[in-house]
Amino acid sequence: MTKTDLKSLLNGPSLLAEQAYLAGHWVDGDEGTFEVTNPARGDVIAHVADLSRAQVAKAIAEAETAQKEWASWTGKERAAVLRKWFDLMMENQHDLGVILTAEQGKPLAEAKGEIAYGASFVEFFAEEAKRVYGETIPGHQRDKRITVIKQPIGVAASITPWNFPNAMITRKAAPALAAGCAFVARPAELTPLSATALGVLAERAGIPKGVFSVVTSSNASETGKEFCENPIVRKLTFTGSTQVGRILLRQAADQVMKCSMELGGNAPFIVFDDADLDAAVEGAIMCKFRNNGQTCVCANRIYVQAGVYDAFAAKLKEAVEKLKMGDGMEEGVALGPLINASAVEKVQTHIADAKAKGANVILGDSGAPQGPGYFLPPTIVTGATKDMQFSTDETFGPLAPLFKFENEDDVIAMANDTIFGLASYFYAKDLSRVYKVAEALEYGIVGVNTGIISTEVAPFGGVKQSGLGREGSHHGLDEFLEMKYICMSV
Ligand SMILES: NC(=O)C1=CN([C@@H]2O[C@H](COP(=O)(O)OP(=O)(O)OC[C@H]3O[C@@H](n4cnc5c(N)ncnc54)[C@H](OP(=O)(O)O)[C@@H]3O)[C@@H](O)[C@H]2O)C=CC1
Ligand SMILES: O=C(O)[C@H](O)CS(=O)(=O)O
């Protein structure tokens, strides 16, 4: 798919923006441009503005000015503009999906699903913009009156990954703008086009110049340092690996900057012997193979109780064999390419490690199809054990390792034996078991009899080294607000 092909697929080619959106102006990069390639075919689909650190600093300075006016609007006025942004995202869902598939690779149906998911945060926080409530507290002395108010934190900056190039930005920008903050977004180098398209629609929606900027760059480290070291930035919100999250937290510590961190995962997916096996297989497929396994909430370890292990393995194999792999633009494709060669190599390394330690490959692991693109057939291994790499490291690809367990206590101990704590899942019918296991799992999210937990109405986030803070739900607004109390003598 070339740039010409991509433009021909769009109803509105102007959504394909190769410049950066800097404080309401479309600009070239002082560092030139960087290439964006289609992971299914390796074609170059865009040459995107490569901003310098000085240009990023300019976006931040403009944001500071714009934010003061934006914060003076009523919540209802901000809500109206955010609602328009939501409406434009949904009106352009097809084009935004095509752009997303072109740069990230996921099947078009999934990409359009991400657009709706990303837009749902804008819709939700447009409503929340009107509900930034404070409180009054009975005075501690007869002549004292205490009032608590919440105010926007100021200029927020985001760094987001390539796996959800639309939704990871809107999940942060929507609450920030609703709260009255200004927002400077730095998308991943691999997938900047979904972000610049959001800039096109933000401009059309009437979001004031400087309130929302998209600073595209090939130098993540430099942009990150500007975000962490610039005293105007009061909030850093990051989604990505725990490794990079640690770097950013260290850098932000010098300013004691408020940070939200949505980091890596290592999700256990547990099938008890009283589970509905067909439902568990359906849930495992969605949980493991959404975005071809490239999500932080994907099942990374699948634990199956001994009595149903063989039956589950057979059913899962039969279901996975039906999944069509190919270019995300092709009808009926369920599994697109991985994002790049290193992603393929990581999955192959996990498979090789497991085989070397005694695992048995019951599906896949056959050589990737010839020709361009980062394709890897889905693989299922049985006989997984805790000494294998995928027990501790996030695979981030289409590999389903099946572990056998005997009882509840053992599987809870194994599930919790990780530095991560983002998402977890289990299938069971016994109510007592459901309550006990859900409470015992050390994770920010527990899916019970479901493999998909993503929604704008719930507080998404992890414990332990999977992150800090929550995104989505009314809690998501607090990440961009400062609380103040006024103690008045009457
Ligand atoms: N908890 C969550 O919600 C999510 C967690 N993740 C986790 O992220 C990983 C996969 O995503 P991936 O994008 O590879 O993760 P990375 O952490 O490598 O990258 C995430 C973002 O951080 C940027 N970045 C990388 N290094 C630095 C740095 N030193 N300073 C500032 N920014 C930097 C990247 O830029 P660039 O790519 O341009 O180099 C990218 O935009 C997995 O571990 C996955 O679990 C991913 C998505 C969601
Ligand atoms: O980046 C991710 O993996 C997302 O946070 C997962 S979700 O929000 O789509 O569930």
Side-chain angles (χ1 to χ4, degrees):
M1 176 195 290
T2 62
K3 189 186 306 187
T4 307
D5 297 338
L6 175 52
K7 284 196 169 179
S8 68
L9 291 169
L10 302 179
N11 300 318
S14 61
L15 268 178
L16 184 62
E18 295 179 283
Q19 291 181 300
Y21 186 53
L22 198 164
H25 303 284
W26 293 96
V27 301
D28 295 328
D30 289 351
E31 306 297 333
T33 63
F34 58 90
E35 289 182 347
V36 180
T37 58
N38 169 244
R41 299 187 184 285
D43 301 320
V44 174
I45 56 173
H47 295 83
V48 172
D50 196 351
L51 265 58
S52 63
R53 181 166 174 171
Q55 287 180 293
V56 174
K58 179 171 171 50
I60 294 167
E62 299 281 347
E64 182 183 35
T65 305
Q67 188 268 332
K68 290 176 173 41
E69 166 68 13
W70 179 241
S72 75
W73 289 26
T74 66
K76 189 169 182 175
E77 288 168 326
R78 289 196 293 270
V81 170
L82 286 173
R83 178 73 208 192
K84 179 64 181 164
W85 198 23
F86 164 76
D87 290 339
L88 287 168
M89 285 178 70
M90 294 312 292
E91 286 164 24
N92 292 278
Q93 185 182 14
H94 171 81
D95 281 3
L96 292 172
V98 168
I99 290 170
L100 202 157
T101 294
E103 65 176 355
Q104 196 273 344
K106 67 180 68 172
L108 182 57
E110 243 189 87
K112 291 169 74 174
E114 180 184 338
I115 301 306
Y117 175 53
S120 72
F121 290 98
V122 179
E123 179 189 40
F124 183 87
F125 286 104
E127 295 150 2
E128 289 299 295
K130 304 175 217 170
R131 297 175 182 83
V132 180
Y133 299 139
E135 62 185 288
T136 58
I137 297 173
H140 53 299
Q141 294 170 358
R142 291 181 184 177
D143 67 337
K144 295 294 186 296
R145 302 294 182 269
I146 294 178
T147 309
V148 179
I149 63 172
K150 291 181 181 177
Q151 295 173 303
I153 203 164
V155 173
S158 80
I159 298 172
T160 46
W162 47 261
N163 61 341
F164 288 85
N166 171 286
M168 289 309 98
I169 294 174
T170 59
R171 189 160 83 179
K172 301 167 186 303
L177 298 186
C181 294
F183 196 85
V184 181
R186 192 273 175 181
E189 179 185 359
L190 291 170
T191 54
L193 300 172
S194 296
T196 56
L198 282 172
V200 171
L201 297 183
E203 187 177 35
R204 288 184 197 166
I207 295 177
K209 294 185 184 306
V211 169
F212 179 74
S213 287
V214 179
V215 290
T216 52
S217 78
S218 65
N219 192 330
S221 173
E222 276 301 284
T223 305
K225 283 177 182 160
E226 184 59 31
F227 284 171
C228 293
E229 295 167 9
N230 189 315
I232 298 171
V233 177
R234 304 291 297 280
K235 168 81 179 188
L236 177 67
T237 174
F238 171 70
T239 293
S241 65
T242 295
Q243 175 192 350
V244 174
R246 293 189 191 107
I247 293 170
L248 293 170
L249 282 170
R250 286 192 197 102
Q251 290 176 178
D254 288 344
Q255 291 205 82
V256 193
M257 184 183 293
K258 287 193 184 312
C259 292
S260 295
M261 293 278 150
E262 292 293 350
L263 305 178
N266 180 5
F269 185 102
I270 305 168
V271 182
F272 286 100
D273 54 15
D274 64 330
D276 174 335
L277 283 193
D278 292 326
V281 166
E282 186 183 349
I285 294 280
M286 288 192 288
C287 185
K288 176 69 251 186
F289 296 103
R290 178 164 75 106
N291 201 6
N292 215 351
Q294 300 174 115
T295 93
C296 57
V297 293
C298 279
N300 203 60
R301 299 167 285 159
I302 300 178
Y303 294 97
V304 186
Q305 199 154 16
V308 294
Y309 187 88
D310 294 341
F312 178 84
K315 284 177 178 284
L316 183 66
K317 178 174 184 282
E318 184 185 358
V320 175
E321 281 171 333
K322 294 173 184 168
L323 299 178
K324 182 181 175 185
M325 180 172 60
D327 187 320
M329 291 305 294
E330 286 171 24
E331 193 67 33
V333 163
L335 300 174
L338 296 183
I339 190 69
N340 58 19
S342 56
V344 172
E345 285 156 23
K346 181 178 182 183
V347 181
Q348 289 174 329
T349 300
H350 282 193
I351 295 169
D353 169 75
K355 287 167 69 176
K357 293 171 182 172
N360 176 33
V361 175
I362 64 171
L363 180 72
D365 186 26
S366 57
Q370 299 313 307
Y374 304 112
F375 291 98
L376 190 68
T379 298
I380 302 174
V381 300
T382 56
T385 54
K386 69 176 185 176
D387 62 322
M388 295 172 187
Q389 259 184 297
F390 44 52
S391 287
T392 51
D393 299 346
E394 190 175 40
T395 302
F396 230 60
L399 170 58
L402 305 188
F403 298 73
K404 188 181 290 185
F405 74 92
E406 297 300 333
N407 58 59
E408 249 172 54
D409 290 344
D410 287 354
V411 74
I412 288 168
M414 289 188 284
N416 287 338
D417 182 19
T418 171
I419 63 169
F420 297 105
L422 186 56
S424 57
Y425 310 84
F426 68 92
Y427 278 72
K429 288 179 183 155
D430 179 278
L431 269 185
S432 166
R433 165 175 281 172
V434 165
Y435 260 96
K436 282 193 296 184
V437 174
E439 290 173 353
L441 288 170
E442 297 167 359
Y443 292 83
I445 306 166
V446 181
V448 180
N449 296 326
T450 180
I452 296 291
I453 41 77
S454 313
T455 169
E456 77 281 9
V457 305
F460 184 103
V463 299
K464 296 164 70 174
Q465 298 193 33
S466 283
L468 299 167
R470 292 296 184 270
E471 296 183 331
S473 82
H474 67 89
H475 298 286
L477 205 61
D478 290 337
E479 299 289 344
F480 296 95
L481 293 167
E482 289 285 19
M483 189 183 293
K484 174 192 289 179
Y485 80 79
I486 302 161
C487 178
M488 184 166 69
S489 182
V490 297

